[in-house]
Amino acid sequence: MNVSRPPQIPLLELDLLKTLVAIAETGNFSTAAASVLRTPSAVSMQVKRIEDMLGRPIFVRDSRSVTLTADGAVLLEHARRLLALNREMVARFIEPDLAGDVRMGAPDDVAERFLPGMLRRFDETHPCVSVTVVVDTTDRMMEMVRNRQLDMTIVTGDGGFQGTEDTELLLRQKLVWAALKGGVAAERTPLPVSVWEDGCVWRDAGIKGLEKRGIPYRIAFESAHIAGQRAAILADLAIAPIPVSTLTEEIVAARPELALPDLPYYTLGLHIGEDPSPPVQAAADHLRASFACC
């Protein structure tokens, strides 16, 4: 009996991904070629190899610039994470004595859901690097980086964020309407909602959706902390727009028959200050690699 084997998925070499990132960051093949120590023709051949392997274009070229296609943007996101994972893995063996301080900022939900495990693993691989975390709003933490009070910060953004020159995309997650399992808050009129202040990505997404659908609502609970949102839900005082990863056995997605507006994705980004030290670079690589596995 012949058993057919599934087709093997080709592997993208790290050198190809490194060239992809260089082109995306510089905007042209010549500058990217210099940064990866290759000729422009060699870089063009590397891009062709990627496009042939994937069966679709990743760059749009004209006489003066190079831009990513939608597929190229997705590939770039994963390429950065894979390169960071490789750097972190190798650094574990060749930089065991790296020492210094890292001051980083993080939103409340990130500090609670992601950082404990991530920082514990970083401490295991970089025992001589001390990390101090400040929990605050995105705007204030960005300002602290500009004022050199923080070395880097994790920030929140809307679902369409693809990264900028100084802030890279770490993670994209779906927002959902969360309610108490078996609760009745989602059936009340006006709909009781738990959110934070204006400017919060989760609040803006939820409120805009309700207003667009014409669903009457009231702000029943306000908290800047994910623990506060959970408390309101568990008390059946309100429902809240929160990331799907925060759902539990008791806090569940609101029932489809309630016809609540669909919520968009939201993003986490990494903003690093100027001239990061080796410990800061190591911590940033660890975050990139860790979020790549989320």
Side-chain angles (χ1 to χ4, degrees), residues 123-185:
D123 183 66
E124 292 171 353
T125 56
H126 298 81
C128 296
V129 176
S130 298
V131 180
T132 302
V133 179
V134 172
V135 177
D136 210 325
T137 64
T138 287
D139 289 343
R140 284 196 282 263
M141 292 186 297
M142 292 279 281
E143 183 65 24
M144 292 175 76
V145 173
R146 287 191 288 269
N147 293 336
R148 298 185 177 274
Q149 296 171 284
L150 293 176
D151 299 305
M152 63 181 184
T153 187
I154 297 173
V155 298
T156 57
D158 61 42
F161 177 75
Q162 294 290 343
T164 63
E165 185 177 344
D166 59 3
T167 305
E168 63 190 84
L169 179 65
L170 279 180
L171 183 69
R172 180 177 285 107
Q173 272 203 102
K174 188 80 168 65
L175 292 172
V176 296
W177 288 106
L180 176 67
K181 183 177 181 180
V184 298

Short mmCIF file of all heavy atoms in Angstrom, two decimals, residues 123-185:
data_model
loop_
_atom_site.label_atom_id
_atom_site.label_comp_id
_atom_site.label_asym_id
_atom_site.label_seq_id
_atom_site.Cartn_x
_atom_site.Cartn_y
_atom_site.Cartn_z
N ASP A 123 15.28 36.97 32.29
CA ASP A 123 16.18 36.94 33.44
C ASP A 123 17.00 35.65 33.46
O ASP A 123 18.17 35.66 33.87
CB ASP A 123 15.37 37.06 34.73
CG ASP A 123 16.26 37.09 35.97
OD1 ASP A 123 17.02 38.06 36.12
OD2 ASP A 123 16.19 36.14 36.77
N GLU A 124 16.42 34.56 32.98
CA GLU A 124 17.15 33.30 32.94
C GLU A 124 18.29 33.34 31.93
O GLU A 124 19.34 32.74 32.15
CB GLU A 124 16.19 32.16 32.59
CG GLU A 124 15.18 31.86 33.68
CD GLU A 124 14.11 30.89 33.23
OE1 GLU A 124 14.08 30.57 32.02
OE2 GLU A 124 13.28 30.48 34.06
N THR A 125 18.09 34.06 30.81
CA THR A 125 19.12 34.11 29.78
C THR A 125 20.05 35.30 29.94
O THR A 125 21.16 35.30 29.39
CB THR A 125 18.48 34.16 28.38
OG1 THR A 125 17.58 35.28 28.30
CG2 THR A 125 17.70 32.88 28.11
N HIS A 126 19.61 36.35 30.66
CA HIS A 126 20.42 37.56 30.85
C HIS A 126 20.39 37.95 32.34
O HIS A 126 19.79 38.96 32.71
CB HIS A 126 19.90 38.71 29.99
CG HIS A 126 19.95 38.44 28.52
ND1 HIS A 126 19.00 37.70 27.87
CD2 HIS A 126 20.85 38.82 27.57
CE1 HIS A 126 19.31 37.63 26.58
NE2 HIS A 126 20.42 38.30 26.37
N PRO A 127 21.01 37.16 33.19
CA PRO A 127 20.91 37.38 34.63
C PRO A 127 21.54 38.67 35.12
O PRO A 127 21.25 39.12 36.23
CB PRO A 127 21.62 36.16 35.23
CG PRO A 127 22.54 35.69 34.15
CD PRO A 127 21.82 35.97 32.87
N CYS A 128 22.41 39.27 34.30
CA CYS A 128 23.10 40.50 34.72
C CYS A 128 22.43 41.76 34.19
O CYS A 128 22.98 42.86 34.33
CB CYS A 128 24.57 40.46 34.29
SG CYS A 128 25.51 39.14 35.09
N VAL A 129 21.27 41.61 33.58
CA VAL A 129 20.52 42.77 33.07
C VAL A 129 19.31 42.99 33.98
O VAL A 129 18.51 42.08 34.19
CB VAL A 129 20.05 42.55 31.62
CG1 VAL A 129 19.20 43.73 31.16
CG2 VAL A 129 21.24 42.37 30.70
N SER A 130 19.20 44.18 34.53
CA SER A 130 18.08 44.53 35.40
C SER A 130 17.02 45.29 34.60
O SER A 130 17.34 46.27 33.92
CB SER A 130 18.56 45.41 36.56
OG SER A 130 19.49 44.72 37.36
N VAL A 131 15.77 44.82 34.67
CA VAL A 131 14.67 45.45 33.94
C VAL A 131 13.72 46.11 34.92
O VAL A 131 13.27 45.48 35.89
CB VAL A 131 13.91 44.41 33.09
CG1 VAL A 131 12.77 45.09 32.33
CG2 VAL A 131 14.86 43.71 32.12
N THR A 132 13.43 47.38 34.69
CA THR A 132 12.45 48.13 35.47
C THR A 132 11.27 48.45 34.58
O THR A 132 11.45 48.95 33.45
CB THR A 132 13.06 49.44 36.01
OG1 THR A 132 14.19 49.14 36.81
CG2 THR A 132 12.04 50.20 36.84
N VAL A 133 10.05 48.17 35.04
CA VAL A 133 8.85 48.36 34.23
C VAL A 133 7.98 49.47 34.81
O VAL A 133 7.73 49.50 36.02
CB VAL A 133 8.03 47.06 34.13
CG1 VAL A 133 6.77 47.28 33.29
CG2 VAL A 133 8.88 45.94 33.52
N VAL A 134 7.54 50.38 33.96
CA VAL A 134 6.59 51.43 34.31
C VAL A 134 5.28 51.14 33.57
O VAL A 134 5.29 50.91 32.36
CB VAL A 134 7.12 52.83 33.92
CG1 VAL A 134 6.03 53.88 34.11
CG2 VAL A 134 8.35 53.18 34.72
N VAL A 135 4.17 51.12 34.28
CA VAL A 135 2.85 50.88 33.68
C VAL A 135 2.11 52.20 33.60
O VAL A 135 1.88 52.86 34.62
CB VAL A 135 2.05 49.86 34.50
CG1 VAL A 135 0.66 49.67 33.90
CG2 VAL A 135 2.78 48.52 34.55
N ASP A 136 1.74 52.60 32.37
CA ASP A 136 1.06 53.88 32.18
C ASP A 136 0.35 53.86 30.85
O ASP A 136 0.29 52.82 30.17
CB ASP A 136 2.09 55.03 32.24
CG ASP A 136 1.49 56.33 32.78
OD1 ASP A 136 0.31 56.58 32.51
OD2 ASP A 136 2.21 57.07 33.47
N THR A 137 -0.20 55.00 30.43
CA THR A 137 -0.87 55.09 29.14
C THR A 137 0.15 55.21 28.02
O THR A 137 1.30 55.62 28.23
CB THR A 137 -1.80 56.30 29.10
OG1 THR A 137 -1.02 57.50 29.21
CG2 THR A 137 -2.81 56.25 30.24
N THR A 138 -0.29 54.89 26.82
CA THR A 138 0.60 54.92 25.66
C THR A 138 1.20 56.31 25.45
O THR A 138 2.40 56.46 25.24
CB THR A 138 -0.14 54.45 24.40
OG1 THR A 138 -0.34 53.04 24.47
CG2 THR A 138 0.66 54.76 23.14
N ASP A 139 0.36 57.34 25.49
CA ASP A 139 0.85 58.70 25.23
C ASP A 139 1.92 59.11 26.24
O ASP A 139 2.95 59.68 25.88
CB ASP A 139 -0.31 59.70 25.27
CG ASP A 139 -1.22 59.57 24.07
OD1 ASP A 139 -0.80 58.95 23.08
OD2 ASP A 139 -2.36 60.08 24.13
N ARG A 140 1.67 58.82 27.51
CA ARG A 140 2.64 59.22 28.53
C ARG A 140 3.94 58.43 28.42
O ARG A 140 5.02 58.97 28.62
CB ARG A 140 2.01 59.06 29.93
CG ARG A 140 1.03 60.18 30.27
CD ARG A 140 0.72 60.23 31.75
NE ARG A 140 -0.23 59.21 32.14
CZ ARG A 140 -1.55 59.42 32.26
NH1 ARG A 140 -2.05 60.62 32.01
NH2 ARG A 140 -2.36 58.44 32.64
N MET A 141 3.83 57.16 28.09
CA MET A 141 5.05 56.35 27.97
C MET A 141 5.87 56.74 26.75
O MET A 141 7.10 56.74 26.78
CB MET A 141 4.70 54.87 27.96
CG MET A 141 4.16 54.38 29.30
SD MET A 141 3.90 52.59 29.39
CE MET A 141 2.63 52.35 28.14
N MET A 142 5.20 57.10 25.66
CA MET A 142 5.92 57.59 24.48
C MET A 142 6.68 58.86 24.83
O MET A 142 7.83 59.07 24.42
CB MET A 142 4.94 57.85 23.34
CG MET A 142 4.31 56.60 22.76
SD MET A 142 5.36 55.74 21.57
CE MET A 142 5.10 56.76 20.12
N GLU A 143 6.04 59.74 25.60
CA GLU A 143 6.69 60.98 26.03
C GLU A 143 7.88 60.67 26.93
O GLU A 143 8.93 61.33 26.84
CB GLU A 143 5.68 61.86 26.76
CG GLU A 143 6.24 63.21 27.20
CD GLU A 143 6.62 64.10 26.04
OE1 GLU A 143 6.08 63.92 24.93
OE2 GLU A 143 7.49 64.98 26.25
N MET A 144 7.77 59.68 27.79
CA MET A 144 8.88 59.30 28.66
C MET A 144 10.06 58.75 27.86
O MET A 144 11.22 58.97 28.23
CB MET A 144 8.40 58.27 29.69
CG MET A 144 7.41 58.84 30.70
SD MET A 144 6.74 57.58 31.82
CE MET A 144 8.14 57.36 32.91
N VAL A 145 9.79 58.07 26.77
CA VAL A 145 10.88 57.61 25.90
C VAL A 145 11.56 58.81 25.25
O VAL A 145 12.80 58.89 25.19
CB VAL A 145 10.37 56.62 24.83
CG1 VAL A 145 11.48 56.30 23.83
CG2 VAL A 145 9.87 55.33 25.49
N ARG A 146 10.76 59.76 24.77
CA ARG A 146 11.35 60.95 24.15
C ARG A 146 12.19 61.74 25.14
O ARG A 146 13.22 62.32 24.77
CB ARG A 146 10.24 61.84 23.56
CG ARG A 146 9.61 61.28 22.30
CD ARG A 146 8.72 62.31 21.63
NE ARG A 146 7.49 62.52 22.37
CZ ARG A 146 6.36 61.85 22.17
NH1 ARG A 146 6.33 60.90 21.25
NH2 ARG A 146 5.27 62.10 22.88
N ASN A 147 11.77 61.74 26.41
CA ASN A 147 12.52 62.46 27.44
C ASN A 147 13.63 61.63 28.07
O ASN A 147 14.24 62.04 29.06
CB ASN A 147 11.56 62.93 28.55
CG ASN A 147 10.59 63.99 28.06
OD1 ASN A 147 10.86 64.69 27.08
ND2 ASN A 147 9.44 64.10 28.72
N ARG A 148 13.84 60.42 27.53
CA ARG A 148 14.88 59.50 28.00
C ARG A 148 14.65 59.02 29.44
O ARG A 148 15.59 58.62 30.13
CB ARG A 148 16.28 60.12 27.86
CG ARG A 148 16.66 60.44 26.42
CD ARG A 148 18.08 60.94 26.29
NE ARG A 148 18.45 61.16 24.90
CZ ARG A 148 18.91 60.25 24.07
NH1 ARG A 148 19.08 59.01 24.50
NH2 ARG A 148 19.23 60.55 22.82
N GLN A 149 13.41 59.07 29.87
CA GLN A 149 13.07 58.47 31.17
C GLN A 149 12.84 56.97 31.03
O GLN A 149 12.93 56.23 32.00
CB GLN A 149 11.81 59.14 31.74
CG GLN A 149 11.99 60.61 32.06
CD GLN A 149 10.66 61.27 32.39
OE1 GLN A 149 9.84 61.56 31.51
NE2 GLN A 149 10.44 61.51 33.67
N LEU A 150 12.51 56.54 29.82
CA LEU A 150 12.38 55.13 29.49
C LEU A 150 13.25 54.82 28.28
O LEU A 150 13.43 55.69 27.42
CB LEU A 150 10.92 54.76 29.17
CG LEU A 150 9.90 54.82 30.31
CD1 LEU A 150 8.51 54.51 29.76
CD2 LEU A 150 10.26 53.84 31.41
N ASP A 151 13.75 53.61 28.21
CA ASP A 151 14.54 53.18 27.05
C ASP A 151 13.65 52.70 25.92
O ASP A 151 14.00 52.85 24.74
CB ASP A 151 15.50 52.05 27.45
CG ASP A 151 16.48 52.48 28.53
OD1 ASP A 151 17.17 53.49 28.31
OD2 ASP A 151 16.53 51.82 29.58
N MET A 152 12.52 52.12 26.27
CA MET A 152 11.60 51.61 25.25
C MET A 152 10.25 51.38 25.91
O MET A 152 10.14 51.36 27.14
CB MET A 152 12.11 50.30 24.64
CG MET A 152 12.22 49.15 25.62
SD MET A 152 12.86 47.67 24.79
CE MET A 152 12.78 46.49 26.15
N THR A 153 9.22 51.23 25.10
CA THR A 153 7.89 50.98 25.65
C THR A 153 7.06 50.17 24.67
O THR A 153 7.22 50.29 23.45
CB THR A 153 7.16 52.29 26.00
OG1 THR A 153 5.94 51.98 26.67
CG2 THR A 153 6.86 53.11 24.76
N ILE A 154 6.18 49.36 25.21
CA ILE A 154 5.16 48.69 24.42
C ILE A 154 3.95 49.62 24.37
O ILE A 154 3.57 50.19 25.39
CB ILE A 154 4.79 47.33 25.03
CG1 ILE A 154 6.01 46.40 25.03
CG2 ILE A 154 3.64 46.68 24.26
CD1 ILE A 154 5.79 45.10 25.76
N VAL A 155 3.37 49.80 23.20
CA VAL A 155 2.26 50.72 23.03
C VAL A 155 1.09 50.01 22.36
O VAL A 155 1.26 48.97 21.72
CB VAL A 155 2.68 51.95 22.17
CG1 VAL A 155 3.79 52.72 22.86
CG2 VAL A 155 3.13 51.51 20.78
N THR A 156 -0.10 50.57 22.51
CA THR A 156 -1.28 50.03 21.86
C THR A 156 -1.63 50.88 20.65
O THR A 156 -1.36 52.08 20.60
CB THR A 156 -2.48 50.00 22.83
OG1 THR A 156 -2.72 51.32 23.33
CG2 THR A 156 -2.22 49.06 23.98
N GLY A 157 -2.27 50.25 19.66
CA GLY A 157 -2.68 50.96 18.45
C GLY A 157 -3.90 50.29 17.85
O GLY A 157 -4.35 49.24 18.31
N ASP A 158 -4.45 50.91 16.82
CA ASP A 158 -5.63 50.32 16.19
C ASP A 158 -5.21 49.16 15.28
O ASP A 158 -4.04 48.94 15.02
CB ASP A 158 -6.44 51.37 15.42
CG ASP A 158 -5.64 52.02 14.29
OD1 ASP A 158 -4.92 51.31 13.57
OD2 ASP A 158 -5.74 53.25 14.13
N GLY A 159 -6.22 48.44 14.81
CA GLY A 159 -5.94 47.23 14.04
C GLY A 159 -5.25 47.45 12.72
O GLY A 159 -4.64 46.53 12.17
N GLY A 160 -5.32 48.67 12.19
CA GLY A 160 -4.68 48.95 10.91
C GLY A 160 -3.21 49.30 11.01
O GLY A 160 -2.55 49.49 9.99
N PHE A 161 -2.69 49.39 12.22
CA PHE A 161 -1.28 49.78 12.40
C PHE A 161 -0.36 48.73 11.79
O PHE A 161 -0.48 47.54 12.07
CB PHE A 161 -0.98 49.94 13.89
CG PHE A 161 0.46 50.28 14.19
CD1 PHE A 161 0.94 51.55 13.95
CD2 PHE A 161 1.31 49.32 14.72
CE1 PHE A 161 2.26 51.87 14.23
CE2 PHE A 161 2.63 49.62 15.00
CZ PHE A 161 3.10 50.90 14.76
N GLN A 162 0.57 49.17 10.94
CA GLN A 162 1.51 48.27 10.28
C GLN A 162 2.96 48.54 10.69
O GLN A 162 3.87 47.87 10.22
CB GLN A 162 1.39 48.40 8.75
CG GLN A 162 0.08 47.92 8.19
CD GLN A 162 -0.07 46.41 8.27
OE1 GLN A 162 0.89 45.68 8.45
NE2 GLN A 162 -1.31 45.93 8.14
N GLY A 163 3.16 49.51 11.57
CA GLY A 163 4.51 49.87 11.96
C GLY A 163 4.91 51.19 11.32
O GLY A 163 4.43 51.56 10.24
N THR A 164 5.79 51.91 12.00
CA THR A 164 6.31 53.17 11.48
C THR A 164 7.82 53.14 11.60
O THR A 164 8.42 52.13 11.99
CB THR A 164 5.76 54.36 12.29
OG1 THR A 164 6.20 54.26 13.65
CG2 THR A 164 4.24 54.40 12.26
N GLU A 165 8.43 54.26 11.28
CA GLU A 165 9.89 54.34 11.33
C GLU A 165 10.43 54.08 12.73
O GLU A 165 11.50 53.48 12.89
CB GLU A 165 10.35 55.72 10.85
CG GLU A 165 11.86 55.87 10.76
CD GLU A 165 12.26 57.22 10.20
OE1 GLU A 165 11.40 57.92 9.62
OE2 GLU A 165 13.45 57.58 10.35
N ASP A 166 9.70 54.49 13.77
CA ASP A 166 10.22 54.33 15.12
C ASP A 166 9.39 53.41 16.01
O ASP A 166 9.72 53.21 17.17
CB ASP A 166 10.36 55.70 15.81
CG ASP A 166 9.03 56.44 15.90
OD1 ASP A 166 8.00 55.87 15.49
OD2 ASP A 166 9.02 57.59 16.39
N THR A 167 8.33 52.82 15.48
CA THR A 167 7.50 51.90 16.26
C THR A 167 7.15 50.70 15.39
O THR A 167 6.52 50.86 14.35
CB THR A 167 6.22 52.58 16.75
OG1 THR A 167 6.55 53.77 17.48
CG2 THR A 167 5.43 51.66 17.66
N GLU A 168 7.56 49.51 15.82
CA GLU A 168 7.32 48.31 15.03
C GLU A 168 6.16 47.50 15.59
O GLU A 168 5.85 47.56 16.78
CB GLU A 168 8.57 47.44 14.99
CG GLU A 168 9.00 46.92 16.35
CD GLU A 168 10.36 46.28 16.32
OE1 GLU A 168 11.37 47.01 16.42
OE2 GLU A 168 10.41 45.04 16.21
N LEU A 169 5.50 46.78 14.72
CA LEU A 169 4.37 45.95 15.11
C LEU A 169 4.85 44.71 15.86
O LEU A 169 5.75 44.00 15.40
CB LEU A 169 3.58 45.54 13.87
CG LEU A 169 2.37 44.64 14.09
CD1 LEU A 169 1.31 45.37 14.90
CD2 LEU A 169 1.80 44.17 12.76
N LEU A 170 4.26 44.45 17.02
CA LEU A 170 4.58 43.24 17.79
C LEU A 170 3.49 42.18 17.68
O LEU A 170 3.77 41.00 17.52
CB LEU A 170 4.74 43.60 19.28
CG LEU A 170 6.05 44.19 19.76
CD1 LEU A 170 5.97 44.45 21.26
CD2 LEU A 170 7.23 43.28 19.44
N LEU A 171 2.23 42.61 17.78
CA LEU A 171 1.14 41.65 17.87
C LEU A 171 -0.16 42.29 17.41
O LEU A 171 -0.40 43.46 17.69
CB LEU A 171 0.99 41.17 19.33
CG LEU A 171 -0.05 40.09 19.63
CD1 LEU A 171 0.37 38.76 19.03
CD2 LEU A 171 -0.25 39.94 21.13
N ARG A 172 -0.97 41.51 16.73
CA ARG A 172 -2.32 41.95 16.36
C ARG A 172 -3.32 40.96 16.96
O ARG A 172 -3.17 39.76 16.78
CB ARG A 172 -2.45 42.02 14.84
CG ARG A 172 -3.84 42.48 14.37
CD ARG A 172 -3.91 42.60 12.87
NE ARG A 172 -3.22 43.79 12.40
CZ ARG A 172 -2.06 43.79 11.77
NH1 ARG A 172 -1.44 42.64 11.54
NH2 ARG A 172 -1.49 44.90 11.37
N GLN A 173 -4.32 41.49 17.67
CA GLN A 173 -5.30 40.64 18.35
C GLN A 173 -6.71 41.14 18.12
O GLN A 173 -6.94 42.34 17.98
CB GLN A 173 -5.04 40.62 19.86
CG GLN A 173 -4.07 39.56 20.32
CD GLN A 173 -4.29 39.24 21.79
OE1 GLN A 173 -4.90 38.23 22.13
NE2 GLN A 173 -3.80 40.09 22.67
N LYS A 174 -7.66 40.21 18.12
CA LYS A 174 -9.07 40.55 17.93
C LYS A 174 -9.67 41.02 19.25
O LYS A 174 -9.39 40.47 20.32
CB LYS A 174 -9.83 39.32 17.45
CG LYS A 174 -11.27 39.59 17.03
CD LYS A 174 -11.32 40.16 15.64
CE LYS A 174 -12.75 40.17 15.07
NZ LYS A 174 -13.68 41.04 15.80
N LEU A 175 -10.48 42.07 19.17
CA LEU A 175 -11.28 42.50 20.32
C LEU A 175 -12.65 41.83 20.25
O LEU A 175 -13.20 41.62 19.16
CB LEU A 175 -11.46 44.02 20.30
CG LEU A 175 -10.21 44.87 20.56
CD1 LEU A 175 -10.52 46.34 20.31
CD2 LEU A 175 -9.69 44.66 21.97
N VAL A 176 -13.19 41.49 21.42
CA VAL A 176 -14.51 40.88 21.48
C VAL A 176 -15.31 41.52 22.61
O VAL A 176 -14.73 42.10 23.54
CB VAL A 176 -14.43 39.35 21.72
CG1 VAL A 176 -13.75 38.65 20.56
CG2 VAL A 176 -13.70 39.05 23.04
N TRP A 177 -16.62 41.42 22.52
CA TRP A 177 -17.47 41.84 23.62
C TRP A 177 -17.47 40.72 24.65
O TRP A 177 -17.91 39.60 24.38
CB TRP A 177 -18.90 42.11 23.14
CG TRP A 177 -19.03 43.36 22.33
CD1 TRP A 177 -19.22 43.45 20.98
CD2 TRP A 177 -18.98 44.70 22.83
NE1 TRP A 177 -19.29 44.77 20.61
CE2 TRP A 177 -19.15 45.56 21.72
CE3 TRP A 177 -18.82 45.25 24.09
CZ2 TRP A 177 -19.15 46.94 21.82
CZ3 TRP A 177 -18.82 46.63 24.22
CH2 TRP A 177 -18.99 47.46 23.09
N ALA A 178 -16.98 41.01 25.85
CA ALA A 178 -16.89 40.00 26.89
C ALA A 178 -17.98 40.20 27.92
O ALA A 178 -18.31 41.33 28.30
CB ALA A 178 -15.52 40.07 27.57
N ALA A 179 -18.55 39.08 28.37
CA ALA A 179 -19.65 39.13 29.33
C ALA A 179 -19.51 37.97 30.31
O ALA A 179 -18.75 37.03 30.07
CB ALA A 179 -20.99 39.04 28.60
N LEU A 180 -20.23 38.04 31.41
CA LEU A 180 -20.24 36.95 32.38
C LEU A 180 -21.01 35.76 31.80
O LEU A 180 -22.11 35.92 31.26
CB LEU A 180 -20.90 37.40 33.68
CG LEU A 180 -21.06 36.33 34.76
CD1 LEU A 180 -19.70 35.88 35.29
CD2 LEU A 180 -21.95 36.85 35.89
N LYS A 181 -20.43 34.58 31.91
CA LYS A 181 -21.12 33.38 31.44
C LYS A 181 -22.43 33.21 32.20
O LYS A 181 -22.46 33.18 33.43
CB LYS A 181 -20.22 32.16 31.67
CG LYS A 181 -20.80 30.86 31.15
CD LYS A 181 -19.82 29.71 31.35
CE LYS A 181 -20.38 28.41 30.81
NZ LYS A 181 -19.42 27.28 31.01
N GLY A 182 -23.52 33.18 31.46
CA GLY A 182 -24.84 33.06 32.08
C GLY A 182 -25.38 34.36 32.63
O GLY A 182 -26.47 34.38 33.23
N GLY A 183 -24.64 35.47 32.45
CA GLY A 183 -25.07 36.75 32.98
C GLY A 183 -26.14 37.41 32.11
O GLY A 183 -26.46 36.95 31.02
N VAL A 184 -26.67 38.55 32.61
CA VAL A 184 -27.75 39.24 31.90
C VAL A 184 -27.38 40.66 31.50
O VAL A 184 -28.19 41.35 30.88
CB VAL A 184 -29.03 39.26 32.77
CG1 VAL A 184 -29.52 37.85 33.03
CG2 VAL A 184 -28.79 40.01 34.07
N ALA A 185 -26.17 41.12 31.85
CA ALA A 185 -25.80 42.51 31.55
C ALA A 185 -25.94 42.83 30.07
O ALA A 185 -26.37 43.91 29.70
CB ALA A 185 -24.37 42.78 32.03
#
